[in-house]
Amino acid sequence: MTIDDVARRAGVSRTSVSRALLGQNKVSDQTRSRVRQAAEELGYVPSVAASTLASGRGDTLGLLLRDAANPAYGLLFTELQRYGREAGRQVVSMTVTTDEHGRGQVAALHHLVGLRVAGLVVATGGLSTEQLLPFAGILPIVRAGRPEESGLLHAVSYDERGGGAEVARAIHAHGHRRVAVLVTDADVSYPEWVRGTAIVETLRALGVDVDELAVRRHFEGATEVCDLARQRRVSAVACPSDMRALQVLRVARSQGLRVPDDLSVTGFDGILPGADLIGLATYRIPVEEVASAAIRTLLEVVNGAEGVHQLQMSGRFVEAPSLDRPVPAPT
Amino acid sequence: MTIDDVARRAGVSRTSVSRALLGQNKVSDQTRSRVRQAAEELGYVPSVAASTLASGRGDTLGLLLRDAANPAYGLLFTELQRYGREAGRQVVSMTVTTDEHGRGQVAALHHLVGLRVAGLVVATGGLSTEQLLPFAGILPIVRAGRPEESGLLHAVSYDERGGGAEVARAIHAHGHRRVAVLVTDADVSYPEWVRGTAIVETLRALGVDVDELAVRRHFEGATEVCDLARQRRVSAVACPSDMRALQVLRVARSQGLRVPDDLSVTGFDGILPGADLIGLATYRIPVEEVASAAIRTLLEVVNGAEGVHQLQMSGRFVEAPSLDRPVPAPT
DNA sequence: CTGAAAGCGCTTACAG
DNA sequence: CTGAAAGCGCTTACAG
């Protein structure tokens, strides 16, 4: 089933079929309608491969994503698709689970580049600037959800530092003076690393006593934090993601520790459906804005805009019962 | 940057480059290594379009998905990708948000078919059997997450009926005799419709008094249910999804209704991170099993298996405090 | 083991 | 407005 079958059935040339189906206006109405009907009757689906090859350019946008099982990435994914579609582009995606270090990520990147997409949004921290750079010459690439400190690639990211500082100020404003902070390495999760670091720095600048706990897997550190709370060594804990905060809440509950009376808890992300029911105070990251700006930036670059585009979007802190310890009255 | 550039640099023919890069063993080791080096130095990425066209077959698997912002679909997406990758296939996906009725879904389907993928997993209820059927002749299609009653398409689905019955039995076992059930139309959400219907039927068969509440949007019905509870007309409500259950919990809380004392609540899905903290009793659908079986089925069909494959996977009910009303002691 | 050549299914100057 | 022909970047018989 090729374009020639349609041409034969419509009684016109292959050229006319192509033009009619592409919606070009160099075809008579009669030809157009005959072609459409023939294509319809035959159930003809043009080969994107052949079309891309012949025209020399794809009009599809590519998306490279991190594991969508994480609600924050799932939402980012959906929003990127939505904005791409709104701009009249088809969007194809590939996901890389976090455990496939390096190899899988690069393979997926290659595949997307091989597909000759018009442009690419990369929403996984798993690929370094160095790994991306060689491809940036071939096609427009915008990194989403993580800043590009190199200044060499377009990037639309969350203001993780600002968010971390805001979380710290909220904790301080609620009267906490001894606080535990879960901190990851940059290679575990770049955003969590920035958040944790910013929280620690800001708290210290505010004169708060900080206990840094180095963690990796999402369930680590919760027990230690609860121990500290029971010993009254800290009255609050700041977690660099909601998932980690949930784990703290779980352990606290299982140990009979009251939240926020014995231990206040803050998270980071704010995407989890039902977080309001849990009463988790958190920082809501602006996923929709990042997705929208990433697509907008990509399209500008695809359409020939100059220079390197870098944007950061801010979210907002969400107060909730898990951080409800009253501010001590001034004496 | 084409295969000819690599050939020139390696000092061999285009044919040899192709063979070397495809990993065929009709090439000398010397040629192979020279080609690899040349390709590496040049940063050559083969055109998937050209390759697909020339070889006549793609080896990529396609995925058509519903909105990944829903955790259940997000997880399904991730797992499908994972199993596909484990089988050595690249997997490309397209998402359709629920609001794009018809047009967007079909456009995405066309694009994926146009990409000439080797096979396709369709994980959205938005496309009817009739819309899918014409393409099933062109390439293998497996529907995931929803049964194909037509018996014409391969399908791997959740046993929604069995799950609904299990929820109903649990509610009955906890002593409830007057129960509200939120029920949707099939066109709002097919799975929710099956679940709701099964819950109602099973409860009635058990002699339970059922109040059916027709709902559409996810926030509908919660207020009505709470009113019924306050009037002691029902002691429990069964929701066909966790999202709906969360909304009931929200309204109940805002009205000062105690859960489960005044109103027991059950959900359906069991995917939500943190649902354990909310204490929601629910039915955990077997997402991982469905994803695994869908990919397995697709690969079998791609490899020439005969017949129509249809599978259903069962999950399990998860007891939790939201359904903790004690069973009345036998007298 | 190697390469010249045909061909995959389209698009697009070009000539009419 | 229409069509014959060249060409996009690969793969794969075929002949050597």
Side-chain angles (χ1 to χ4, degrees):
Chain A
M1 165 62 45
T2 75
I3 197 173
D4 287 317
D5 298 307
V6 180
R8 208 167 301 124
R9 176 147 192 149
V12 299
S13 74
R14 181 199 310 177
T15 308
S16 291
V17 174
S18 177
R19 287 202 265 250
L21 260 23
L22 288 175
Q24 296 174 177
N25 49 10
K26 310 166 192 163
V27 203
S28 72
D29 287 349
Q30 196 201 148
T31 300
R32 190 191 315 282
S33 66
R34 278 167 56 181
V35 167
R36 290 221 172 122
Q37 187 177 345
E40 172 85 14
E41 290 169 0
L42 259 28
Y44 170 67
V45 180
S47 163
V48 175
S51 148
T52 301
L53 190 57
S55 69
R57 52 177 162 58
D59 61 339
T60 304
L61 260 27
L63 239 52
L64 191 61
L65 290 150
R66 188 164 173 174
D67 185 352
N70 177 325
Y73 281 95
L75 181 58
L76 179 61
F77 177 30
T78 300
E79 294 294 310
L80 284 168
Q81 285 267 167
R82 200 164 68 74
Y83 286 110
R85 205 70 63 87
E86 277 181 20
R89 301 284 189 148
Q90 292 290 355
V91 182
V92 305
S93 341
M94 301 191 67
T95 317
V96 279
T97 32
T98 42
D99 46 290
E100 298 182 55
H101 289 304
R103 287 186 57 76
Q105 312 233 359
V106 174
L109 176 62
H110 263 252
H111 194 82
L112 244 14
V113 173
L115 240 23
R116 298 293 187 260
V117 292
L120 192 56
V121 173
V122 174
T124 160
L127 288 166
S128 66
T129 305
E130 292 69 41
Q131 289 174 304
L132 248 28
L133 225 37
F135 301 100
I138 307 180
L139 83 179
I141 297 183
V142 172
R143 176 154 236 155
R146 169 175 169 164
E148 266 300 327
E149 282 153 3
S150 69
L152 295 170
L153 293 173
H154 311 287
V156 179
S157 57
Y158 303 110
D159 178 13
E160 313 278 10
R161 284 200 64 77
E166 215 171 301
V167 169
R169 284 193 293 272
I171 292 172
H172 177 262
H174 278 268
H176 298 280
R177 294 301 175 259
R178 297 169 140 223
V179 176
V181 180
L182 302 187
V183 181
T184 72
D185 267 356
D187 67 320
V188 172
S189 161
Y190 182 87
E192 291 193 50
W193 173 68
V194 177
R195 296 165 184 179
T197 310
I199 293 173
V200 169
E201 281 176 18
T202 309
L203 283 175
R204 291 217 168 110
L206 290 167
V208 172
D209 218 31
V210 176
D211 240 311
E212 284 184 69
L213 295 179
V215 294
R216 300 191 71 84
R217 313 285 298 272
H218 83 276
F219 50 79
E220 288 177 12
T223 308
E224 290 82 341
V225 164
C226 291
D227 288 346
L228 290 175
R230 199 171 313 92
Q231 300 161 26
R232 305 276 160 205
R233 303 256 307 276
V234 303
S235 62
V237 57
C239 307
S241 77
D242 285 351
M243 291 299 174
R244 294 186 190 275
L246 292 186
Q247 187 57 20
V248 171
L249 293 177
R250 259 180 217 116
V251 174
R253 182 177 293 182
S254 75
Q255 298 195 356
L257 220 50
R258 292 164 307 166
V259 172
D261 313 69
D262 300 321
L263 178 67
S264 280
V265 179
T266 64
F268 210 112
D269 273 348
I271 307 300
L272 217 58
D276 57 320
L277 285 163
I278 298 172
L280 179 64
T282 188
Y283 183 86
R284 171 57 152 91
I285 59 174
V287 177
E288 295 81 354
E289 285 85 342
V290 164
S292 160
I295 295 292
R296 207 181 328 117
T297 302
L298 184 60
L299 290 175
E300 283 171 12
V301 178
V302 167
N303 292 326
E306 298 287 319
V308 174
H309 299 242
Q310 305 215 120
L311 295 170
Q312 287 219 328
M313 322 299 271
S314 297
R316 61 190 165 69
F317 188 75
V318 182
E319 298 274 354
S322 75
L323 182 65
D324 251 5
R325 180 179 173 166
V327 177
T331 44
Chain B
M1 167 60 46
T2 76
I3 197 173
D4 287 317
D5 299 306
V6 180
R8 209 167 302 123
R9 174 145 194 151
V12 298
S13 76
R14 183 199 307 178
T15 309
S16 292
V17 174
S18 178
R19 288 202 265 250
L21 260 23
L22 288 176
Q24 295 176 179
N25 49 9
K26 309 168 194 163
V27 204
S28 71
D29 287 349
Q30 196 200 148
T31 300
R32 190 191 316 282
S33 66
R34 276 166 58 181
V35 167
R36 289 220 172 122
Q37 188 178 344
E40 172 84 14
E41 290 169 0
L42 260 28
Y44 170 66
V45 181
S47 162
V48 175
S51 149
T52 301
L53 188 58
S55 71
R57 52 177 162 58
D59 61 339
T60 303
L61 260 29
L63 239 53
L64 192 60
L65 290 150
R66 187 164 172 176
D67 186 353
N70 178 325
Y73 281 95
L75 181 59
L76 180 60
F77 176 30
T78 300
E79 294 294 309
L80 284 168
Q81 285 267 167
R82 201 164 67 75
Y83 286 110
R85 205 68 64 86
E86 275 182 20
R89 302 284 191 148
Q90 293 289 353
V91 182
V92 304
S93 341
M94 300 191 68
T95 317
V96 279
T97 30
T98 42
D99 45 288
E100 298 182 54
H101 289 302
R103 286 188 56 79
Q105 313 234 358
V106 174
L109 176 61
H110 263 251
H111 194 83
L112 244 14
V113 174
L115 239 23
R116 299 293 187 259
V117 292
L120 192 57
V121 173
V122 174
T124 161
L127 289 165
S128 67
T129 305
E130 292 69 41
Q131 289 174 304
L132 247 29
L133 224 37
F135 301 99
I138 306 180
L139 83 178
I141 297 183
V142 172
R143 177 154 233 155
R146 168 174 168 163
E148 268 299 328
E149 281 153 4
S150 69
L152 294 171
L153 294 172
H154 310 288
V156 179
S157 57
Y158 304 108
D159 178 14
E160 312 277 9
R161 284 200 64 76
E166 215 172 301
V167 169
R169 283 193 294 272
I171 292 172
H172 177 261
H174 277 267
H176 297 280
R177 294 301 176 258
R178 298 170 140 223
V179 176
V181 181
L182 302 186
V183 181
T184 71
D185 268 356
D187 66 319
V188 172
S189 160
Y190 182 86
E192 292 193 47
W193 173 68
V194 177
R195 296 165 183 178
T197 311
I199 294 172
V200 169
E201 281 176 18
T202 308
L203 283 175
R204 291 219 166 108
L206 290 165
V208 172
D209 219 31
V210 176
D211 242 310
E212 284 185 68
L213 296 178
V215 294
R216 300 190 73 83
R217 312 286 297 273
H218 82 276
F219 50 78
E220 289 177 13
T223 309
E224 290 82 339
V225 164
C226 291
D227 288 347
L228 290 175
R230 198 171 313 91
Q231 300 160 27
R232 304 277 160 202
R233 303 255 310 275
V234 302
S235 62
V237 56
C239 307
S241 76
D242 285 351
M243 291 297 173
R244 295 186 190 275
L246 292 185
Q247 187 56 23
V248 171
L249 293 178
R250 259 179 216 116
V251 173
R253 181 177 293 183
S254 75
Q255 297 194 355
L257 218 52
R258 290 164 308 164
V259 173
D261 313 68
D262 301 320
L263 178 67
S264 281
V265 179
T266 65
F268 210 113
D269 274 348
I271 307 300
L272 217 57
D276 56 319
L277 285 164
I278 299 173
L280 179 63
T282 187
Y283 185 86
R284 170 58 151 89
I285 59 175
V287 177
E288 295 82 354
E289 286 85 342
V290 163
S292 161
I295 294 294
R296 207 181 327 119
T297 302
L298 184 59
L299 289 175
E300 284 171 13
V301 178
V302 167
N303 293 325
E306 298 286 319
V308 173
H309 298 243
Q310 306 214 122
L311 295 170
Q312 287 218 329
M313 321 300 270
S314 296
R316 61 190 165 68
F317 189 75
V318 182
E319 298 275 354
S322 75
L323 181 65
D324 250 5
R325 181 177 173 168
V327 177
T331 43

